[in-house]
Amino acid sequence: MQLRYTFRIEPGPGQRMALGRAFGCARVVYNDALRARETARRHGLPFPKTGDLSKLLITDAKHKPERAWLSEVSAVVLQQSLRDLDTAYKNFFDSLKGKRPRVGAPRFKSRRDSRQAVRFTANARWSLTPGGKLRLPKIGDVKVKWSRTLPSTPSTVTVVKDAAGRYFASFVVETDGSEVLPGTTGEVGIDLGLTHFAVLSDGRKIASPKFFRRAEKKLRKAQQDLSRKAKGSSNRKKAVVKVARAHAKVADARRDFHHKLSTTVVRENQAVHVEDLAVKGLARTSLAKSVHDAGWSTFVTMLEYKATRHGRTFTRVDRFFPSSQLCSACGFKDGPKPLAVREWTCTGCSTIHDRDVNAARNIRTEGSKVAAGRAETQNACGG
């Protein structure tokens, strides 16, 4: 399994300028390659190959006065920019064929984009110094704020600058599955919601932090201050960064909450079952702001990869499964109920149910059936 570890880095003034050159050169090569392919498409010419674009836009371009500054950055950064364009085209064509969710065609990058990034592979000969610094070609030794130890030697590192002006180093490492946790008998179903972020089948209710709602007043004030600044002024640039930092603080708090809760759930249970929610559909309703604030998709993704990493069972229950209509005690289907009904009595066995706890228990039962059926299929196929 490949895992990504991200750490904050603190480049010096000269290193920030060098990283700025790297971001700019990678962006120019990406845009030149995209322009060449779009021009070929409009004129009905063959799709230019990556090797040809590399020779034309990197190797040959360095000897021309208008692109001579490309030699100031590592060639690996420019090559990886072309690979990023290949990936963007592949994702676009796969989405047209229905192999993945719909994505748009590759677009030109701008120096005003909120996120700038460059990637260094092993060919770039980057390294970690004995003192714990990140040594990057033509940039230097950058201080890293280590929060944990990498499980193995990284294969690549991506340097990212976000909208708030912060720099990060993102390492990709290979793991051999040696982090399997000791077995446990726990099994849990999770019903996700807005009033409570998560309700577990054992009756526990996790309150919804509502990070965005709590910070909304401060975010509104920062956005209002930005709107009053003259376009193109230095004060406006400072206000833009202030707004970005306020949003980054909310996103960081939400991500920290998701990580801690998902780790706790995976450690305590051998099997985790979650309902497959239609988040995109819910995000188009009047609840859109609250749905985005909850971040269900990110949380479920964390549960899935952590369960796989630590040897746990993870199951997504079909979104059309009537978890709120079934009685978890007798299995009687009592029909749909409005959202205002938070507690109901089963007409089949007279059991009084908390709506969310009952749904979580039904998700656990259905998830166990799905996991058992998956195991039987694998055994029948010799898996």
Short mmCIF file of all heavy atoms in Angstrom, two decimals, residues 110-173:
data_model
loop_
_atom_site.label_atom_id
_atom_site.label_comp_id
_atom_site.label_asym_id
_atom_site.label_seq_id
_atom_site.Cartn_x
_atom_site.Cartn_y
_atom_site.Cartn_z
N SER A 110 -2.74 28.94 -13.77
CA SER A 110 -2.48 30.37 -13.59
C SER A 110 -1.58 30.59 -12.38
O SER A 110 -1.60 29.80 -11.43
CB SER A 110 -3.80 31.13 -13.40
OG SER A 110 -3.56 32.46 -12.99
N ARG A 111 -0.80 31.63 -12.43
CA ARG A 111 0.04 31.98 -11.28
C ARG A 111 -0.81 32.41 -10.10
O ARG A 111 -0.32 32.47 -8.97
CB ARG A 111 1.02 33.08 -11.67
CG ARG A 111 0.36 34.39 -12.04
CD ARG A 111 1.36 35.41 -12.53
NE ARG A 111 2.37 35.69 -11.52
CZ ARG A 111 3.42 36.48 -11.72
NH1 ARG A 111 3.60 37.05 -12.90
NH2 ARG A 111 4.27 36.72 -10.76
N ARG A 112 -2.08 32.70 -10.35
CA ARG A 112 -2.99 33.11 -9.28
C ARG A 112 -3.77 31.92 -8.69
O ARG A 112 -4.64 32.12 -7.83
CB ARG A 112 -3.98 34.15 -9.79
CG ARG A 112 -3.31 35.46 -10.21
CD ARG A 112 -4.34 36.47 -10.69
NE ARG A 112 -3.71 37.73 -11.08
CZ ARG A 112 -3.18 37.97 -12.26
NH1 ARG A 112 -3.20 37.02 -13.19
NH2 ARG A 112 -2.62 39.13 -12.55
N ASP A 113 -3.49 30.72 -9.15
CA ASP A 113 -4.15 29.54 -8.59
C ASP A 113 -3.85 29.43 -7.10
O ASP A 113 -2.73 29.74 -6.66
CB ASP A 113 -3.70 28.27 -9.30
CG ASP A 113 -4.28 28.17 -10.71
OD1 ASP A 113 -5.24 28.90 -11.00
OD2 ASP A 113 -3.77 27.36 -11.51
N SER A 114 -4.82 28.96 -6.33
CA SER A 114 -4.65 28.91 -4.88
C SER A 114 -3.62 27.87 -4.45
O SER A 114 -3.10 27.94 -3.33
CB SER A 114 -5.99 28.61 -4.21
OG SER A 114 -6.49 27.36 -4.66
N ARG A 115 -3.32 26.92 -5.31
CA ARG A 115 -2.37 25.86 -4.95
C ARG A 115 -1.31 25.73 -6.02
O ARG A 115 -1.62 25.61 -7.21
CB ARG A 115 -3.12 24.52 -4.78
CG ARG A 115 -2.24 23.36 -4.33
CD ARG A 115 -3.09 22.10 -4.23
NE ARG A 115 -2.35 20.95 -3.73
CZ ARG A 115 -1.61 20.12 -4.47
NH1 ARG A 115 -1.52 20.33 -5.79
NH2 ARG A 115 -0.97 19.12 -3.94
N GLN A 116 -0.05 25.77 -5.60
CA GLN A 116 1.09 25.57 -6.50
C GLN A 116 1.89 24.37 -5.99
O GLN A 116 2.07 24.23 -4.77
CB GLN A 116 1.99 26.81 -6.54
CG GLN A 116 1.28 28.09 -6.94
CD GLN A 116 0.98 28.17 -8.42
OE1 GLN A 116 1.55 27.42 -9.23
NE2 GLN A 116 0.06 29.05 -8.80
N ALA A 117 2.34 23.51 -6.90
CA ALA A 117 3.04 22.30 -6.46
C ALA A 117 4.06 21.85 -7.51
O ALA A 117 3.86 22.06 -8.71
CB ALA A 117 2.04 21.17 -6.19
N VAL A 118 5.13 21.25 -7.03
CA VAL A 118 6.13 20.60 -7.88
C VAL A 118 6.49 19.27 -7.23
O VAL A 118 6.45 19.13 -6.01
CB VAL A 118 7.40 21.46 -8.06
CG1 VAL A 118 7.13 22.68 -8.92
CG2 VAL A 118 7.98 21.88 -6.72
N ARG A 119 6.82 18.28 -8.06
CA ARG A 119 7.12 16.95 -7.56
C ARG A 119 8.53 16.53 -7.93
O ARG A 119 8.96 16.73 -9.08
CB ARG A 119 6.10 15.94 -8.10
CG ARG A 119 6.25 14.56 -7.50
CD ARG A 119 5.05 13.66 -7.81
NE ARG A 119 4.85 13.46 -9.23
CZ ARG A 119 3.90 14.03 -9.94
NH1 ARG A 119 3.07 14.90 -9.36
NH2 ARG A 119 3.76 13.79 -11.23
N PHE A 120 9.23 15.92 -6.96
CA PHE A 120 10.58 15.42 -7.17
C PHE A 120 10.56 13.90 -7.01
O PHE A 120 10.09 13.38 -5.98
CB PHE A 120 11.55 16.01 -6.14
CG PHE A 120 11.71 17.50 -6.22
CD1 PHE A 120 10.83 18.34 -5.54
CD2 PHE A 120 12.71 18.08 -6.97
CE1 PHE A 120 10.95 19.72 -5.60
CE2 PHE A 120 12.86 19.46 -7.03
CZ PHE A 120 11.98 20.28 -6.35
N THR A 121 11.04 13.18 -8.00
CA THR A 121 11.16 11.73 -7.91
C THR A 121 12.58 11.36 -7.53
O THR A 121 13.44 12.22 -7.31
CB THR A 121 10.78 11.07 -9.26
OG1 THR A 121 11.71 11.52 -10.27
CG2 THR A 121 9.37 11.44 -9.67
N ALA A 122 12.85 10.06 -7.46
CA ALA A 122 14.18 9.60 -7.07
C ALA A 122 15.25 10.06 -8.07
O ALA A 122 16.41 10.26 -7.70
CB ALA A 122 14.19 8.08 -6.96
N ASN A 123 14.85 10.25 -9.34
CA ASN A 123 15.81 10.70 -10.36
C ASN A 123 16.35 12.10 -10.07
O ASN A 123 17.41 12.47 -10.56
CB ASN A 123 15.15 10.68 -11.74
CG ASN A 123 14.82 9.27 -12.20
OD1 ASN A 123 15.46 8.31 -11.77
ND2 ASN A 123 13.83 9.14 -13.07
N ALA A 124 15.60 12.88 -9.29
CA ALA A 124 16.06 14.23 -8.97
C ALA A 124 17.14 14.24 -7.90
O ALA A 124 17.73 15.27 -7.61
CB ALA A 124 14.87 15.08 -8.50
N ARG A 125 17.37 13.08 -7.27
CA ARG A 125 18.40 12.93 -6.23
C ARG A 125 18.16 13.86 -5.03
O ARG A 125 19.10 14.45 -4.50
CB ARG A 125 19.80 13.15 -6.83
CG ARG A 125 20.18 12.13 -7.88
CD ARG A 125 21.59 12.33 -8.40
NE ARG A 125 21.93 11.34 -9.41
CZ ARG A 125 23.08 11.29 -10.05
NH1 ARG A 125 24.03 12.19 -9.77
NH2 ARG A 125 23.33 10.36 -10.94
N TRP A 126 16.91 13.97 -4.65
CA TRP A 126 16.61 14.68 -3.42
C TRP A 126 16.88 13.72 -2.26
O TRP A 126 16.93 12.51 -2.43
CB TRP A 126 15.15 15.15 -3.41
CG TRP A 126 14.16 14.02 -3.41
CD1 TRP A 126 13.65 13.38 -4.49
CD2 TRP A 126 13.60 13.39 -2.26
NE1 TRP A 126 12.79 12.38 -4.10
CE2 TRP A 126 12.73 12.36 -2.74
CE3 TRP A 126 13.71 13.58 -0.89
CZ2 TRP A 126 12.00 11.54 -1.88
CZ3 TRP A 126 12.99 12.77 -0.04
CH2 TRP A 126 12.15 11.76 -0.54
N SER A 127 17.02 14.23 -1.08
CA SER A 127 17.36 13.37 0.05
C SER A 127 16.99 14.05 1.37
O SER A 127 16.67 15.24 1.41
CB SER A 127 18.86 13.03 0.05
OG SER A 127 19.63 14.22 0.19
N LEU A 128 17.03 13.26 2.43
CA LEU A 128 16.86 13.76 3.78
C LEU A 128 18.22 13.77 4.45
O LEU A 128 18.91 12.75 4.49
CB LEU A 128 15.88 12.87 4.57
CG LEU A 128 14.45 12.82 4.04
CD1 LEU A 128 13.61 11.83 4.83
CD2 LEU A 128 13.81 14.20 4.09
N THR A 129 18.64 14.91 4.97
CA THR A 129 19.96 15.04 5.57
C THR A 129 19.98 14.39 6.96
O THR A 129 18.92 14.17 7.56
CB THR A 129 20.34 16.52 5.68
OG1 THR A 129 19.46 17.16 6.62
CG2 THR A 129 20.22 17.22 4.34
N PRO A 130 21.17 14.07 7.48
CA PRO A 130 21.25 13.53 8.85
C PRO A 130 20.63 14.44 9.89
O PRO A 130 20.16 13.98 10.93
CB PRO A 130 22.77 13.39 9.06
CG PRO A 130 23.34 13.24 7.69
CD PRO A 130 22.47 14.08 6.81
N GLY A 131 20.58 15.74 9.61
CA GLY A 131 19.98 16.68 10.55
C GLY A 131 18.47 16.80 10.41
O GLY A 131 17.85 17.62 11.10
N GLY A 132 17.87 16.01 9.52
CA GLY A 132 16.42 16.02 9.36
C GLY A 132 15.89 17.07 8.40
O GLY A 132 14.68 17.33 8.38
N LYS A 133 16.75 17.66 7.58
CA LYS A 133 16.29 18.63 6.60
C LYS A 133 16.02 17.96 5.26
O LYS A 133 16.54 16.89 4.97
CB LYS A 133 17.30 19.77 6.45
CG LYS A 133 17.42 20.67 7.67
CD LYS A 133 18.30 21.87 7.40
CE LYS A 133 18.33 22.81 8.60
NZ LYS A 133 19.16 24.01 8.34
N LEU A 134 15.22 18.62 4.44
CA LEU A 134 14.89 18.12 3.11
C LEU A 134 15.79 18.81 2.09
O LEU A 134 15.70 20.02 1.90
CB LEU A 134 13.41 18.38 2.81
CG LEU A 134 12.91 18.03 1.41
CD1 LEU A 134 13.07 16.54 1.12
CD2 LEU A 134 11.46 18.46 1.25
N ARG A 135 16.65 18.02 1.45
CA ARG A 135 17.59 18.57 0.47
C ARG A 135 16.98 18.42 -0.92
O ARG A 135 16.77 17.31 -1.42
CB ARG A 135 18.93 17.84 0.56
CG ARG A 135 19.98 18.34 -0.43
CD ARG A 135 21.34 17.78 -0.07
NE ARG A 135 21.79 18.31 1.22
CZ ARG A 135 22.85 17.82 1.90
NH1 ARG A 135 23.54 16.79 1.40
NH2 ARG A 135 23.20 18.35 3.05
N LEU A 136 16.70 19.56 -1.56
CA LEU A 136 16.10 19.59 -2.88
C LEU A 136 17.06 20.18 -3.89
O LEU A 136 17.75 21.15 -3.59
CB LEU A 136 14.81 20.43 -2.86
CG LEU A 136 13.70 19.93 -1.92
CD1 LEU A 136 12.58 20.94 -1.86
CD2 LEU A 136 13.18 18.58 -2.37
N PRO A 137 17.14 19.61 -5.10
CA PRO A 137 18.08 20.12 -6.11
C PRO A 137 17.75 21.55 -6.52
O PRO A 137 16.59 21.88 -6.77
CB PRO A 137 17.91 19.14 -7.28
CG PRO A 137 16.56 18.52 -7.07
CD PRO A 137 16.38 18.46 -5.60
N LYS A 138 18.78 22.39 -6.56
CA LYS A 138 18.70 23.80 -6.96
C LYS A 138 17.81 24.63 -6.04
O LYS A 138 17.37 25.72 -6.40
CB LYS A 138 18.20 23.91 -8.41
CG LYS A 138 19.15 23.26 -9.41
CD LYS A 138 18.80 23.60 -10.84
CE LYS A 138 19.81 22.98 -11.80
NZ LYS A 138 19.54 23.35 -13.21
N ILE A 139 17.54 24.09 -4.84
CA ILE A 139 16.75 24.82 -3.84
C ILE A 139 17.50 24.87 -2.52
O ILE A 139 17.59 25.91 -1.89
CB ILE A 139 15.35 24.20 -3.66
CG1 ILE A 139 14.54 24.39 -4.94
CG2 ILE A 139 14.63 24.83 -2.47
CD1 ILE A 139 13.20 23.71 -4.93
N GLY A 140 18.09 23.73 -2.11
CA GLY A 140 18.86 23.70 -0.88
C GLY A 140 18.22 22.86 0.20
O GLY A 140 17.28 22.09 -0.05
N ASP A 141 18.75 22.97 1.41
CA ASP A 141 18.26 22.21 2.56
C ASP A 141 17.14 22.99 3.24
O ASP A 141 17.37 24.09 3.77
CB ASP A 141 19.40 21.95 3.55
CG ASP A 141 20.48 21.06 2.96
OD1 ASP A 141 20.26 20.53 1.85
OD2 ASP A 141 21.54 20.89 3.59
N VAL A 142 15.96 22.41 3.25
CA VAL A 142 14.77 23.07 3.79
C VAL A 142 14.42 22.44 5.14
O VAL A 142 14.40 21.21 5.28
CB VAL A 142 13.58 22.94 2.82
CG1 VAL A 142 12.37 23.70 3.36
CG2 VAL A 142 13.97 23.47 1.44
N LYS A 143 14.12 23.27 6.11
CA LYS A 143 13.74 22.79 7.44
C LYS A 143 12.36 22.16 7.40
O LYS A 143 11.42 22.73 6.84
CB LYS A 143 13.77 23.95 8.43
CG LYS A 143 13.44 23.54 9.87
CD LYS A 143 13.47 24.73 10.80
CE LYS A 143 13.10 24.33 12.23
NZ LYS A 143 13.10 25.49 13.15
N VAL A 144 12.22 20.97 8.00
CA VAL A 144 10.96 20.24 8.05
C VAL A 144 10.49 20.14 9.50
O VAL A 144 11.28 19.83 10.39
CB VAL A 144 11.10 18.81 7.45
CG1 VAL A 144 9.75 18.10 7.45
CG2 VAL A 144 11.68 18.88 6.05
N LYS A 145 9.23 20.38 9.75
CA LYS A 145 8.66 20.25 11.10
C LYS A 145 8.08 18.84 11.22
O LYS A 145 6.91 18.59 10.92
CB LYS A 145 7.58 21.32 11.32
CG LYS A 145 8.10 22.74 11.20
CD LYS A 145 7.01 23.77 11.44
CE LYS A 145 6.60 23.80 12.88
NZ LYS A 145 5.64 24.91 13.17
N TRP A 146 8.93 17.92 11.65
CA TRP A 146 8.54 16.51 11.73
C TRP A 146 7.58 16.30 12.90
O TRP A 146 7.85 16.68 14.03
CB TRP A 146 9.77 15.62 11.92
CG TRP A 146 10.74 15.69 10.79
CD1 TRP A 146 11.91 16.37 10.76
CD2 TRP A 146 10.61 15.07 9.51
NE1 TRP A 146 12.55 16.21 9.56
CE2 TRP A 146 11.77 15.40 8.77
CE3 TRP A 146 9.64 14.25 8.93
CZ2 TRP A 146 11.96 14.96 7.47
CZ3 TRP A 146 9.84 13.81 7.62
CH2 TRP A 146 10.99 14.15 6.91
N SER A 147 6.46 15.65 12.63
CA SER A 147 5.49 15.32 13.68
C SER A 147 5.46 13.82 13.96
O SER A 147 4.92 13.39 14.97
CB SER A 147 4.08 15.78 13.28
OG SER A 147 3.70 15.22 12.04
N ARG A 148 6.05 13.02 13.08
CA ARG A 148 6.14 11.58 13.25
C ARG A 148 7.22 11.04 12.33
O ARG A 148 7.73 11.76 11.46
CB ARG A 148 4.80 10.91 12.96
CG ARG A 148 4.19 11.33 11.62
CD ARG A 148 2.82 10.76 11.43
NE ARG A 148 2.15 11.38 10.31
CZ ARG A 148 1.00 10.96 9.81
NH1 ARG A 148 0.40 9.92 10.34
NH2 ARG A 148 0.43 11.58 8.81
N THR A 149 7.55 9.77 12.50
CA THR A 149 8.62 9.15 11.72
C THR A 149 8.04 8.46 10.49
O THR A 149 7.00 7.80 10.58
CB THR A 149 9.38 8.13 12.58
OG1 THR A 149 9.85 8.77 13.77
CG2 THR A 149 10.56 7.56 11.82
N LEU A 150 8.71 8.58 9.36
CA LEU A 150 8.28 7.89 8.15
C LEU A 150 8.51 6.39 8.31
O LEU A 150 9.57 5.97 8.77
CB LEU A 150 9.03 8.41 6.94
CG LEU A 150 8.77 9.88 6.55
CD1 LEU A 150 9.71 10.30 5.43
CD2 LEU A 150 7.33 10.06 6.12
N PRO A 151 7.54 5.54 7.93
CA PRO A 151 7.69 4.09 8.10
C PRO A 151 8.72 3.47 7.17
O PRO A 151 9.22 2.38 7.45
CB PRO A 151 6.29 3.55 7.81
CG PRO A 151 5.66 4.58 6.93
CD PRO A 151 6.23 5.89 7.37
N SER A 152 9.04 4.12 6.06
CA SER A 152 10.03 3.59 5.12
C SER A 152 10.59 4.75 4.31
O SER A 152 10.15 5.90 4.46
CB SER A 152 9.39 2.55 4.19
OG SER A 152 8.34 3.12 3.43
N THR A 153 11.54 4.44 3.45
CA THR A 153 12.16 5.48 2.63
C THR A 153 11.17 5.97 1.57
O THR A 153 10.62 5.16 0.83
CB THR A 153 13.42 4.94 1.94
OG1 THR A 153 14.33 4.46 2.94
CG2 THR A 153 14.10 6.03 1.14
N PRO A 154 10.93 7.26 1.48
CA PRO A 154 9.96 7.78 0.50
C PRO A 154 10.46 7.60 -0.93
O PRO A 154 11.66 7.62 -1.20
CB PRO A 154 9.83 9.26 0.86
CG PRO A 154 10.48 9.41 2.19
CD PRO A 154 11.49 8.33 2.32
N SER A 155 9.51 7.44 -1.85
CA SER A 155 9.86 7.33 -3.26
C SER A 155 9.79 8.67 -3.97
O SER A 155 10.56 8.94 -4.89
CB SER A 155 8.92 6.32 -3.95
OG SER A 155 7.57 6.72 -3.79
N THR A 156 8.85 9.51 -3.57
CA THR A 156 8.73 10.85 -4.17
C THR A 156 8.39 11.86 -3.08
O THR A 156 7.92 11.50 -1.99
CB THR A 156 7.62 10.90 -5.24
OG1 THR A 156 6.35 10.67 -4.62
CG2 THR A 156 7.85 9.87 -6.33
N VAL A 157 8.61 13.12 -3.38
CA VAL A 157 8.21 14.20 -2.49
C VAL A 157 7.61 15.31 -3.34
O VAL A 157 8.14 15.66 -4.40
CB VAL A 157 9.39 14.73 -1.65
CG1 VAL A 157 10.51 15.27 -2.54
CG2 VAL A 157 8.91 15.81 -0.68
N THR A 158 6.48 15.82 -2.89
CA THR A 158 5.81 16.93 -3.57
C THR A 158 5.84 18.14 -2.64
O THR A 158 5.43 18.03 -1.48
CB THR A 158 4.36 16.57 -3.92
OG1 THR A 158 4.34 15.40 -4.73
CG2 THR A 158 3.69 17.72 -4.66
N VAL A 159 6.33 19.25 -3.13
CA VAL A 159 6.35 20.49 -2.36
C VAL A 159 5.15 21.32 -2.79
O VAL A 159 4.96 21.59 -3.99
CB VAL A 159 7.66 21.26 -2.59
CG1 VAL A 159 7.64 22.57 -1.80
CG2 VAL A 159 8.85 20.41 -2.16
N VAL A 160 4.34 21.71 -1.81
CA VAL A 160 3.07 22.39 -2.08
C VAL A 160 3.05 23.74 -1.36
O VAL A 160 3.48 23.83 -0.21
CB VAL A 160 1.87 21.55 -1.62
CG1 VAL A 160 0.56 22.26 -1.90
CG2 VAL A 160 1.89 20.17 -2.28
N LYS A 161 2.55 24.75 -2.06
CA LYS A 161 2.27 26.04 -1.44
C LYS A 161 0.77 26.27 -1.54
O LYS A 161 0.20 26.24 -2.64
CB LYS A 161 3.01 27.17 -2.15
CG LYS A 161 2.75 28.54 -1.53
CD LYS A 161 3.41 29.66 -2.34
CE LYS A 161 3.10 31.03 -1.73
NZ LYS A 161 3.66 32.14 -2.55
N ASP A 162 0.10 26.45 -0.39
CA ASP A 162 -1.35 26.61 -0.42
C ASP A 162 -1.75 28.08 -0.49
O ASP A 162 -0.89 28.98 -0.53
CB ASP A 162 -2.01 25.91 0.78
CG ASP A 162 -1.65 26.58 2.11
OD1 ASP A 162 -0.95 27.61 2.12
OD2 ASP A 162 -2.08 26.04 3.16
N ALA A 163 -3.05 28.34 -0.49
CA ALA A 163 -3.54 29.71 -0.65
C ALA A 163 -3.17 30.60 0.52
O ALA A 163 -3.10 31.82 0.39
CB ALA A 163 -5.06 29.69 -0.82
N ALA A 164 -2.93 29.98 1.68
CA ALA A 164 -2.56 30.76 2.87
C ALA A 164 -1.07 31.07 2.93
O ALA A 164 -0.60 31.62 3.94
CB ALA A 164 -2.99 30.00 4.13
N GLY A 165 -0.32 30.68 1.90
CA GLY A 165 1.11 30.97 1.87
C GLY A 165 1.94 29.98 2.66
O GLY A 165 3.13 30.24 2.90
N ARG A 166 1.37 28.85 3.05
CA ARG A 166 2.10 27.84 3.81
C ARG A 166 2.73 26.84 2.85
O ARG A 166 2.17 26.55 1.79
CB ARG A 166 1.17 27.13 4.79
CG ARG A 166 0.48 28.05 5.77
CD ARG A 166 -0.48 27.29 6.67
NE ARG A 166 -1.50 26.59 5.90
CZ ARG A 166 -2.43 25.79 6.44
NH1 ARG A 166 -2.44 25.60 7.75
NH2 ARG A 166 -3.33 25.21 5.68
N TYR A 167 3.87 26.29 3.25
CA TYR A 167 4.58 25.31 2.44
C TYR A 167 4.53 23.94 3.13
O TYR A 167 4.68 23.84 4.35
CB TYR A 167 6.05 25.72 2.23
CG TYR A 167 6.23 26.94 1.35
CD1 TYR A 167 6.11 28.23 1.89
CD2 TYR A 167 6.51 26.82 0.00
CE1 TYR A 167 6.27 29.35 1.10
CE2 TYR A 167 6.68 27.95 -0.80
CZ TYR A 167 6.56 29.21 -0.24
OH TYR A 167 6.72 30.32 -1.04
N PHE A 168 4.34 22.90 2.31
CA PHE A 168 4.27 21.54 2.82
C PHE A 168 5.10 20.62 1.95
O PHE A 168 5.26 20.86 0.74
CB PHE A 168 2.82 21.03 2.84
CG PHE A 168 1.89 21.81 3.73
CD1 PHE A 168 1.20 22.91 3.25
CD2 PHE A 168 1.73 21.45 5.06
CE1 PHE A 168 0.35 23.63 4.07
CE2 PHE A 168 0.88 22.17 5.89
CZ PHE A 168 0.19 23.26 5.39
N ALA A 169 5.63 19.57 2.58
CA ALA A 169 6.32 18.50 1.86
C ALA A 169 5.49 17.24 2.03
O ALA A 169 5.22 16.81 3.15
CB ALA A 169 7.73 18.29 2.41
N SER A 170 5.07 16.66 0.91
CA SER A 170 4.21 15.48 0.93
C SER A 170 5.00 14.29 0.40
O SER A 170 5.39 14.27 -0.77
CB SER A 170 2.97 15.74 0.08
OG SER A 170 2.11 14.64 0.10
N PHE A 171 5.26 13.30 1.27
CA PHE A 171 6.07 12.13 0.92
C PHE A 171 5.16 10.94 0.60
O PHE A 171 4.16 10.71 1.29
CB PHE A 171 7.00 11.75 2.07
CG PHE A 171 7.97 12.82 2.47
CD1 PHE A 171 7.66 13.72 3.47
CD2 PHE A 171 9.20 12.93 1.84
CE1 PHE A 171 8.56 14.72 3.85
CE2 PHE A 171 10.10 13.92 2.20
CZ PHE A 171 9.77 14.82 3.21
N VAL A 172 5.53 10.16 -0.41
CA VAL A 172 4.84 8.91 -0.73
C VAL A 172 5.74 7.76 -0.31
O VAL A 172 6.89 7.68 -0.74
CB VAL A 172 4.53 8.82 -2.24
CG1 VAL A 172 3.92 7.46 -2.57
CG2 VAL A 172 3.57 9.92 -2.65
N VAL A 173 5.21 6.87 0.55
CA VAL A 173 6.00 5.74 1.04
C VAL A 173 5.24 4.45 0.78
O VAL A 173 4.02 4.42 0.68
CB VAL A 173 6.29 5.89 2.56
CG1 VAL A 173 7.08 7.14 2.84
CG2 VAL A 173 4.99 5.91 3.36
#
